[in-house]
Amino acid sequence: MSSFHLKSLEEVLEKYITNDEQLKEIKRLLYGRSDDNKLELPEEAKNLGSKHGFDIQGYRFTAKSECIRLPRIVRIGAIQNSIVLPTSEPVIKQREAIWQKVQVMIKAAALANVNIICLQEAWSRSSLVLRSLSKMYFKCLLSFLLTAMPFAFCTREKFPWCEFSEGAAEGPTTKMLQELAKAYNMVIISPILERDTNHSDTIWNTAVIISNRGQYLGKHRKNHIPRVGDFNESTYYMEGNTGHPVFETVFGHIGVNICYGRHHPQNWMMFGINGAEIVFNPSATVGSLSEPLWPIEARNAAIANSYFTVAINRVGSEEFPNKFTSGDGNEPHTTFGPFYGSSYITAPDSSRTPSLSRDRDGLLIAEIDLNLCRQVKDFWGFPMTQRLDLYANSLQHATKLDFKPQIVRE
């Protein structure tokens, strides 16, 4: 990491590129479009961000007008945030502190008419407060109940972090979010630490999808598990077994490529083959490990698969009570981070939003026209020209014990 503290690339560009035409050309090269196409957000939502110290940004992606199909306008949202209390505090206190922070961000998203929102990787919560709410106050206080656990997987310690785990369909987080989704007419993607009580209390890294009517649609378990430095997550859970499900909602077909899966092009591809129009990538990753990869992978996936992608990362550093090593030969340490935020959204035509801050809580909103997915497919023909039959035969051959690479030598 550099000693120079960079809040965002966009901040530097706008500060030092004072010529408007030059700035537009640079943005065209970097982001696929000359103008940001900012989305005007309600003053009430922006005021919440100013008052409570989080960024709120909105952008728009348009599509061509069609004779047969009407525009399919959807607003999607992504939240990046840090924890509040030290990780040495009791789990319940950590949860309560995050509740206070995130409830305001969810309220801002609702005020901005967000249709689909994705939360950070590894969420959990307590249901005690929910049971005490009366119907009179329920709608106002629903969003008070969300919480994010610290990203404790770097420590490779089981306690107390496994206490954050819960059931996917019947867990307290899902039950609460079902009411929230129904109240706000909002599809919610809730990444949690799942406890599978039907299979020997096994733990999984799971994203739960809840419809805008408050129905549990299903779940997707993380397909690729990192064993890189601090991200030695196989201590807690293994590779998922749910395939590449795409969830049909009233706002579009969505998939969830959890964190480390973004490094695998085939993982992105399968969501596209199954019909995804938007793929969310809730992540937790630190600057010294992966930041040069971050602005590339989700954008490449949007281009290659002709769908929208939403890349979400945390912010802040997290201090743990006990020292742990990173497998890099350095001395044991207690701090993990900093997470570099920089959440962004990419359209299938390669254009993307500016990023949220590298070090500040933020809510990113994009108004998109899903018709753009088919229009880009028709123009570039990537799905039409891909050779799935060729890949399938080659991959099947590559899995055999007697496989030899197809190398031609003199």
Side-chain angles (χ1 to χ4, degrees):
M1 294 290 288
S2 170
S3 58
F4 172 70
H5 184 68
L6 183 68
K7 290 186 177 295
S8 70
L9 174 62
E10 293 76 23
E11 183 181 66
V12 174
L13 289 176
E14 294 182 3
K15 181 177 180 180
Y16 293 104
I17 308 298
T18 56
N19 183 294
D20 289 343
E21 292 305 312
Q22 287 184 351
L23 182 59
K24 284 186 175 183
E25 183 64 4
I26 288 172
K27 286 188 174 182
R28 184 185 69 83
L29 295 173
L30 287 177
Y31 300 139
R33 58 184 185 180
S34 299
D35 297 306
D36 293 337
N37 292 353
K38 289 187 177 180
L39 176 67
E40 187 58 40
L41 299 173
E43 286 299 322
E44 191 174 1
K46 292 190 288 186
N47 290 340
L48 282 178
S50 298
K51 180 178 179 180
H52 295 276
F54 64 88
D55 291 331
I56 175 168
Q57 298 181 24
Y59 303 94
R60 180 182 285 109
F61 295 96
T62 59
K64 296 179 183 296
S65 297
E66 299 185 17
C67 296
I68 297 176
R69 294 192 305 173
L70 294 174
R72 300 175 61 211
I73 306 299
V74 176
R75 288 197 180 187
I76 55 180
I79 288 177
Q80 67 175 40
N81 64 274
S82 59
I83 62 172
V84 180
L85 292 182
T87 59
S88 56
E89 291 291 322
V91 169
I92 294 298
K93 287 188 176 181
Q94 292 185 54
R95 286 171 165 168
E96 290 174 349
I98 288 289
W99 293 342
Q100 296 282 350
K101 172 187 285 191
V102 178
Q103 66 91 13
V104 181
M105 302 174 78
I106 292 291
K107 182 178 180 181
L111 289 169
N113 298 313
V114 168
N115 303 119
I116 309 172
I117 196 161
C118 187
L119 310 179
Q120 289 184 170
E121 183 184 16
W123 282 70
S124 59
R125 56 148 318 254
S126 169
S127 61
L128 298 177
V129 181
L130 177 63
R131 296 192 186 109
S132 67
L133 290 175
S134 68
K135 289 185 178 179
M136 177 184 296
Y137 297 104
F138 184 69
K139 192 169 184 178
C140 296
L141 298 179
L142 272 171
S143 58
F144 180 74
L145 303 176
L146 289 171
T147 174
M149 66 175 287
F151 201 75
F153 309 133
C154 59
T155 70
R156 298 182 289 282
E157 294 179 347
K158 294 298 184 72
F159 305 103
W161 316 123
C162 288
E163 293 183 42
F164 281 96
S165 61
E166 58 181 277
E170 72 288 346
T173 299
T174 299
K175 294 296 184 184
M176 180 273 293
L177 290 177
Q178 287 176 307
E179 298 297 332
L180 189 152
K182 185 165 52 177
Y184 288 118
N185 190 33
M186 184 187 294
V187 173
I188 298 177
I189 301 169
S190 171
I192 65 169
L193 192 61
E194 178 195 358
R195 173 76 69 178
D196 186 356
T197 56
N198 290 330
H199 295 90
S200 304
D201 280 333
T202 302
I203 290 178
W204 303 91
N205 187 324
T206 300
V208 175
I209 290 77
I210 302 168
S211 80
N212 63 308
R213 295 189 299 168
Q215 298 298 310
Y216 169 80
L217 281 183
K219 65 187 176 187
H220 173 55
R221 290 168 172 166
K222 189 173 182 175
N223 278 334
H224 298 276
I225 305 304
R227 297 167 182 85
V228 181
D230 285 339
F231 292 105
N232 189 6
E233 298 174 18
S234 57
T235 302
Y236 300 87
Y237 41 77
M238 299 299 287
E239 286 77 8
N241 56 6
T242 54
H244 299 85
V246 170
F247 300 90
E248 183 177 342
T249 77
V250 297
F251 303 118
H253 291 71
I254 62 176
V256 188
N257 184 3
I258 303 173
C259 198
Y260 196 71
R262 73 181 180 275
H263 303 310
H264 297 267
Q266 298 86 353
N267 208 48
W268 290 105
M269 180 182 72
M270 288 307 303
F271 289 112
I273 288 174
N274 285 331
E277 296 171 304
I278 313 165
V279 177
F280 294 85
N281 178 225
S283 300
T285 182
V286 296
S288 58
L289 183 66
S290 64
E291 193 164 10
L293 309 179
W294 180 255
I296 300 170
E297 291 168 312
R299 190 178 184 189
N300 279 351
I303 297 167
N305 299 288
S306 302
Y307 53 48
F308 289 87
T309 58
V310 184
I312 308 166
N313 189 26
R314 305 186 166 216
V315 290
S317 296
E318 298 175 2
E319 185 88 14
F320 293 93
N322 301 321
K323 290 183 178 181
F324 54 90
T325 61
S326 300
D328 56 7
N330 292 328
E331 291 296 317
H333 49 279
T334 58
T335 301
F336 190 55
F339 299 98
Y340 53 80
S342 305
S343 301
Y344 68 97
I345 296 171
T346 299
D349 64 359
S350 86
S351 62
R352 53 154 288 183
T353 69
S355 299
L356 288 179
S357 169
R358 294 174 73 248
D359 62 359
R360 194 167 182 232
D361 295 347
L363 168 64
L364 178 62
I365 298 169
E367 182 178 281
I368 66 177
D369 186 343
L370 291 176
N371 283 352
L372 186 60
C373 296
R374 181 188 290 179
Q375 291 176 9
V376 170
K377 289 177 183 178
D378 289 345
F379 181 79
W380 282 109
F382 293 152
M384 179 179 66
T385 57
Q386 66 185 352
R387 294 292 307 281
L388 296 182
D389 56 339
L390 178 63
Y391 310 150
N393 290 333
S394 298
L395 290 171
Q396 185 179 33
H397 180 55
T399 61
K400 295 179 179 179
L401 291 176
D402 61 352
F403 167 73
K404 293 181 179 179
Q406 187 179 358
I407 300 175
V408 179
R409 296 184 176 91
E410 183 177 358

